[in-house]
């Protein structure tokens, strides 16, 4: 009965997860060492490690690498890899049974105890996950440790959960985090729980220091995108992988020690913006066996949005961006007070404002008012895009005020929004954004004295738009 309710696809060594991403040799050495040391230190006070980072920062590769190492050292109790596209891995229905099954296989007495719980309550799989975790994990483990049948100091103690943001529904993500806190952390259990997620609402609210989230004092938090500069690792990864592809290629040009050139590598490193997914996308595209790696790499280096529909080297990356935008759009526009708003149009307006392309360079707080958002509207607008964007503050010398703007973790995400070919149905033209901003400004001019001082520049800007339209 337990086996009928597990997600075998979620295992770290599942045959379905063909060639899962993992860290290359000599990459992510520092953060891997930090995580491994934390797992091995059974006496460290914080038993939960939360790894957060931008989309494509390499969180799953780190989880897979840690899972393999823990498996080799016999310290892996269980692992669960969420995936939005797999119906057995994008839900809470299977996670507790899957963890229970893996832990039960580690100890015969624990296996028998879990089996007895299920035999006595066959409906356990239909109950909420807190009750499931209490019945299938917490109670059996505490009972066996108390009776002396199990040595808690030698039991494989690492529990890994990857991609909590891939679990469908913010409320489900929050429920899982709350269950981990109340069942695994509030009880005296030996487990070290390592979870990874994009910094979306559920994980952010649980870890926030202000106001203090319910996991803040319990969690050892690693912000991957902020703490570890992956530039050097990405450079080594690209050099190693591309040279390896060249050595196995039929194209003699790829055998040269001058390929790929240092200039090409640096262009790719700069475009990656510290995010491994860009580098992985490049390698995947160049590795097409029926083509020359030299020609495929040149396609990426020279690619422009005007290059046509036939060549799309960043399709894997663009799919990620479209999925993140789609989820955020659905959540934002479902709120009653946001009905009638175009989520992507507002995002695009903020993106253009951050680079001065709207025509009215404005602090993000003032820009909210210009485009018709309520005070603090940008925080709500971007609340489900923290895996792609962040806010940066600076003090302006002219007015002595704090200037806040939107910035992107990925240079390629901004390029994605600018390209009709890449963004597809999410594309919003610059002209449409400017027209929307002008219209919003003109609607608010009679009601805001602060805007009247800039009426001449607005009028001139609107005149330019009319000229462009003509």
């Amino acid at each position: 009965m337990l086996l009928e309710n597990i997600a075998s696809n979620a295992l770290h060594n599942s045959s379905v997860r063909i060639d899962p991403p993992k860290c290359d040799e000599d990459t992510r050495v520092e953060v891997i060492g930090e995580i491994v040391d934390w797992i091995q230190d059974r006496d460290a006070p914080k038993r939960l490690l939360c790894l957060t980072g931008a989309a494509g920062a390499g969180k799953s590769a780190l989880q897979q690498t840690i899972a393999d190492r823990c498996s080799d050292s016999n310290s892996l109790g269980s692992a669960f890899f969420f995936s939005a596209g797999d119906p057995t891995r994008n839900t809470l229905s299977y996670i507790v049974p899957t963890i229970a099954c893996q832990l039960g296989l580690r100890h015969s007495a624990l296996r028998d105890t879990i089996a007895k719980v299920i035999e006595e309550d066959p409906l356990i799989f239909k109950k909420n996950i807190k009750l499931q975790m209490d019945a299938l994990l917490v109670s059996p483990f505490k009972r066996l440790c108390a009776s002396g049948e199990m040595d808690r100091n030698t039991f494989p103690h690492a529990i890994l959960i990857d991609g909590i943001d891939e679990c469908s529904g913010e409320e489900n993500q929050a429920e899982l985090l709350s269950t981990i806190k109340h069942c695994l952390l509030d009880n005296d259990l030996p487990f070290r729980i390592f979870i990874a997620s994009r910094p979306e609402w559920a994980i952010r609210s649980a870890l926030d220091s202000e106001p203090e989230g319910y996991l803040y004092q319990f969690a050892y938090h690693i912000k991957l995108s902020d703490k570890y500069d992956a530039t050097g690792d990405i450079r080594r990864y690209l050099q190693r992988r591309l040279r390896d592809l060249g050595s196995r290629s039929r194209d003699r040009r790829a055998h040269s020690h001058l390929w790929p050139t240092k200039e090409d590598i640096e262009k790719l490193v700069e475009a990656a913006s510290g995010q491994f997914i860009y580098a992985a996308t490049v390698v995947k595209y160049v590795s097409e066996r029926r083509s020359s790696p030299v020609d495929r790499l040149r396609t990426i280096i020279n690619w422009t949005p005007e290059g046509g529909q036939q060549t799309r080297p960043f399709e894997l990356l663009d799919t990620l961006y479209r999925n993140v935008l789609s989820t955020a759009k659905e959540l934002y526009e479902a709120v009653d007070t946001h009905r009638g708003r175009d989520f992507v149009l507002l995002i695009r307006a903020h993106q253009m404002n951050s680079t001065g392309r709207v025509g009215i360079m404005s602090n993000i707080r003032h820009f909210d008012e210009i485009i018709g958002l309520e005070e603090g509207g940008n925080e709500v607008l971007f609340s489900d895009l923290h895996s792609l964007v962040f806010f940066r503050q600076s003090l302006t010398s002219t007015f002595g005020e704090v200037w806040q703007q939107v910035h992107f973790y990925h240079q390629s995400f901004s390029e994605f929004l600018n390209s009709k070919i890449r963004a597809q149905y999410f594309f919003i033209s610059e002209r449409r954004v400017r027209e929307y901003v002008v219209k919003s400004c003109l609607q608010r001019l009679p009601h805001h004295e602060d805007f009247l001082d800039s009426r001449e520049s607005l009028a001139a800007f609107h005149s330019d738009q009319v000229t462009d339209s003509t």
Side-chain angles (χ1 to χ4, degrees):
M1 291 179 67
L2 181 62
L3 288 174
E4 290 174 355
N5 288 277
I6 71 167
S8 59
N9 293 356
L11 304 180
H12 83 284
N13 54 3
S14 170
S15 60
V16 172
R17 298 179 62 244
I18 301 172
D19 191 25
K22 62 181 67 176
C23 299
D24 258 30
E25 181 184 357
D26 297 330
T27 64
R28 295 295 197 188
V29 175
E30 187 179 357
V31 66
I32 290 173
E34 184 174 347
I35 295 170
V36 169
D37 288 346
W38 173 84
I39 290 175
Q40 292 176 344
D41 184 4
R42 290 174 177 260
D43 297 324
K46 294 187 176 181
R47 294 184 284 123
L48 173 66
L49 189 154
C50 297
L51 177 77
T52 59
K59 300 179 296 298
S60 292
L62 277 166
Q63 277 276 22
Q64 183 67 41
T65 301
I66 297 298
D68 290 341
R69 293 200 180 190
C70 288
S71 180
D72 292 341
S73 64
N74 199 37
S75 60
L76 181 65
S78 70
F80 193 99
F81 284 75
F82 279 102
S83 175
D86 185 334
T88 67
R89 293 196 284 150
N90 63 5
T91 173
L92 295 182
S93 302
Y94 303 98
I95 185 167
V96 176
T98 304
I99 293 174
C101 182
Q102 293 176 82
L103 293 176
L105 291 173
R106 292 292 191 171
H107 195 283
S108 59
L110 181 60
R111 180 179 64 231
D112 294 342
T113 305
I114 292 173
K116 187 175 181 180
V117 170
I118 298 171
E119 184 179 353
E120 293 177 352
D121 185 7
L123 297 178
I124 186 64
F125 305 113
K126 304 300 180 182
K127 297 180 179 179
N128 65 57
I129 65 167
K130 184 178 183 298
L131 291 175
Q132 289 185 40
M133 193 168 285
D134 274 331
L136 296 176
L137 296 181
V138 179
S139 295
F141 204 92
K142 292 175 71 174
R143 190 180 313 142
L144 291 174
C145 287
S147 67
E149 296 178 72
M150 178 185 292
D151 184 356
R152 56 181 290 145
N153 295 318
T154 60
F155 189 85
H157 62 290
I159 296 178
L160 277 54
I161 303 175
D162 180 64
I164 287 181
D165 55 280
E166 298 270 322
C167 179
S168 179
E170 291 179 337
E171 66 286 351
N172 292 325
Q173 298 167 23
E175 183 181 1
L176 175 57
L177 293 170
S178 175
T179 298
I180 289 173
K181 194 266 182 187
H182 291 296
C183 294
L184 299 182
L185 301 181
D186 287 353
N187 287 286
D188 183 24
L189 300 175
F191 298 119
R192 316 288 284 173
I193 305 112
F194 172 31
I195 64 177
S197 175
R198 297 173 192 163
E200 305 301 3
W201 172 81
I203 191 81
R204 288 201 325 277
S205 59
L207 293 172
D208 274 352
S209 57
E210 295 180 3
E212 187 173 306
Y214 58 87
L215 289 180
Y216 175 69
Q217 62 178 326
F218 296 96
Y220 176 25
H221 187 191
I222 296 178
K223 297 180 180 181
L224 187 61
S225 300
D226 298 342
K227 188 174 181 181
Y228 295 95
D229 183 1
T231 302
D233 287 342
I234 290 173
R235 183 180 292 109
R236 287 189 290 273
Y237 169 82
L238 287 168
Q239 289 172 337
R240 181 186 296 117
R241 288 298 185 97
L242 293 177
R243 285 173 181 168
D244 181 57
L245 288 171
S247 67
R248 294 184 280 111
S249 172
R250 297 177 181 177
D251 188 337
R252 292 181 178 272
R253 294 175 298 170
H255 296 175
S256 170
H257 69 280
L258 298 176
W259 188 88
T261 68
K262 183 178 180 179
E263 181 183 5
D264 286 346
I265 292 292
E266 292 308 312
K267 285 181 179 178
L268 296 173
V269 170
E270 181 181 0
S273 304
Q275 309 304 320
F276 261 97
I277 190 169
Y278 182 90
T281 301
V282 168
V283 170
K284 186 176 181 64
Y285 181 77
V286 173
S287 64
E288 169 57 51
R289 295 180 180 180
R290 291 183 294 273
S291 303
S292 162
V294 177
D295 294 336
R296 300 279 281 192
L297 181 60
R298 186 51 45 196
T299 295
I300 287 180
I301 297 295
N302 295 335
W303 187 84
T304 63
E306 294 75 28
Q309 296 268 7
Q310 298 302 316
T311 302
R312 301 180 65 176
F314 303 116
E315 182 55 31
L316 179 65
L317 195 59
D318 295 343
T319 299
L320 169 66
Y321 293 153
R322 286 193 291 269
N323 287 342
V324 173
L325 274 176
S326 179
T327 300
K329 174 182 170 67
E330 181 179 350
L331 291 171
Y332 183 81
E333 295 182 356
V335 178
D336 288 340
T337 55
H338 300 160
R339 294 191 187 280
R341 294 180 179 177
D342 188 327
F343 173 78
V344 182
L345 175 62
L346 296 172
I347 293 293
R348 181 83 158 115
H350 269 292
Q351 178 228 4
M352 288 176 56
N353 177 60
S354 69
T355 55
R357 287 181 293 150
V358 174
I360 313 167
M361 190 69 172
S362 175
N363 187 327
I364 189 172
R365 179 171 58 84
H366 299 149
F367 192 67
D368 274 350
E369 190 174 6
I370 289 173
I371 60 176
L373 295 183
E374 59 281 353
E375 184 176 353
N378 64 85
E379 296 177 7
V380 179
L381 183 69
F382 288 100
S383 62
D384 294 294
L385 291 179
H386 281 257
S387 60
L388 296 176
V389 305
F390 64 97
F391 298 106
R392 179 178 293 162
Q393 293 184 343
S394 60
L395 187 66
T396 62
S397 57
T398 305
F399 301 104
E401 66 174 344
V402 175
W403 187 272
Q404 187 180 49
Q405 288 291 357
V406 176
H407 290 268
F408 297 90
Y409 284 114
H410 306 258
Q411 173 183 317
S412 59
F413 180 57
S414 189
E415 294 170 350
F416 164 87
L417 292 175
N418 294 338
S419 169
K420 185 175 183 178
I421 292 175
R422 295 182 62 183
Q424 297 180 7
Y425 44 85
F426 285 121
F427 177 71
I428 304 289
S429 69
E430 291 194 6
R431 175 176 170 179
R432 182 181 168 195
V433 173
R434 291 194 183 102
E435 289 176 346
Y436 173 77
V437 172
V438 169
K439 182 178 179 180
S440 297
C441 285
L442 294 176
Q443 288 175 341
R444 287 161 179 77
L445 274 174
H447 310 289
H448 296 271
E449 293 182 2
D450 292 343
F451 289 166
L452 295 179
D453 294 335
S454 56
R455 60 187 180 275
E456 293 182 1
S457 60
L458 283 170
F461 177 57
H462 185 239
S463 176
D464 290 342
Q465 290 301 115
V466 172
T467 302
D468 288 346
S469 301
T470 304

